[in-house]
Amino acid sequence: MTPNQFIEFFRLQRASAILRTDLPGAVAPAMDAAIRAGFRICEFTLTVPGAFAHIAAFARREGVVVGAGTVLTVEDARRAVESGARFLVSPVVDETVIEEAKRLGAAMMPGTHTPTEMLRAYRAGAPLQKLFPAPGIGPAYVKACLGPMPFLRIVPTSGVDATNATAHFAAGAFAVGFVAPLFDPNDLREGRFDRIESRGRELLAVCRASS
């Protein structure tokens, strides 16, 4: 899958499942639950125990596109793509990592918070701009940034939940990513993966109704 193909796939899917946990036994069952709910874009942050092995295992699944989050170095990017990641996400803008992602043929989504960072990421060649951390005004911030820069593809990945996903899309968000609103830490600790699946269905229903 090329970066452009991933971008189109993300546009159609509208949402990604982003897993961050320090519980080794919860990683695979939690992402399994998200996939059962209907998520087809799955991100494992590199802080997850055994992240590269999980990326490799889930990348072999039919119809699922897997990516790596918390990519901070060129070596992170290389290992993730070698493991099967088709997109890379970072909490920051780092031109060397963006350039490496392009060389590897992976879509890059660096973390940006200000309009300056968004434009910097775009000019460096990142086709998607992750909005991180979430600003207090949420959707209004997305709309304000897109006003003078409508060519951006802003993807809020924190602070988005079932109550405001529709507003983010109405403001012009390209897609959204769900972290804790999907993978509730209590459910992960208790092994209540059925709740993750149920919540995932609800979140996707909201996103699809916003199209």
Side-chain angles (χ1 to χ4, degrees):
M1 175 176 280
T2 67
N4 285 340
Q5 288 171 331
F6 171 73
I7 291 166
E8 178 61 14
F9 188 65
F10 201 7
R11 185 186 70 80
L12 294 173
Q13 294 295 315
R14 301 183 70 74
S16 64
I18 305 169
L19 181 58
R20 182 186 297 280
T21 181
D22 58 2
L23 300 171
V27 178
M31 195 60 85
D32 276 332
I35 291 172
R36 289 197 302 273
F39 281 90
R40 293 296 175 265
I41 298 179
C42 305
E43 177 187 330
F44 293 93
T45 64
L46 296 188
T47 56
V48 165
F52 294 111
H54 288 295
I55 289 170
F58 278 80
R60 291 192 288 269
R61 299 198 180 194
E62 187 76 26
V64 175
V65 180
V66 179
T70 320
V71 175
L72 295 173
T73 67
V74 166
E75 180 58 27
D76 286 343
R78 290 173 183 167
R79 288 193 64 190
V81 172
E82 287 170 0
S83 298
R86 299 313 310 146
F87 66 96
L88 304 173
V89 185
S90 177
V92 298
V93 178
D94 185 322
E95 282 84 355
T96 61
V97 175
I98 294 172
E99 188 61 33
E100 184 65 11
K102 289 191 291 184
R103 190 188 71 78
L104 294 167
M108 184 71 211
M109 183 163 61
T112 62
H113 187 69
T114 67
T116 299
E117 290 171 340
M118 293 176 188
L119 184 61
R120 176 183 161 195
Y122 174 83
R123 286 180 171 169
L128 300 161
Q129 299 80 42
K130 168 182 175 177
L131 177 56
F132 176 82
I137 57 175
Y141 191 82
V142 172
K143 184 176 181 180
C145 291
L146 287 171
M149 296 184 290
F151 48 83
L152 296 176
R153 298 186 183 99
I154 300 175
V155 182
T157 63
S158 68
V160 184
D161 56 30
T163 68
N164 62 22
T166 297
H168 277 90
F169 282 116
F174 181 78
V176 298
F178 293 111
V179 193
L182 173 60
F183 298 111
D184 183 273
N186 290 326
D187 291 343
L188 293 172
R189 280 192 295 269
E190 297 169 8
R192 293 302 307 268
F193 305 113
D194 57 322
R195 292 180 181 174
I196 293 173
E197 180 180 352
S198 176
R199 199 159 46 247
R201 293 183 188 280
E202 293 172 2
L203 291 169
L204 285 176
V206 171
C207 292
R208 289 165 182 163
S210 303
S211 58

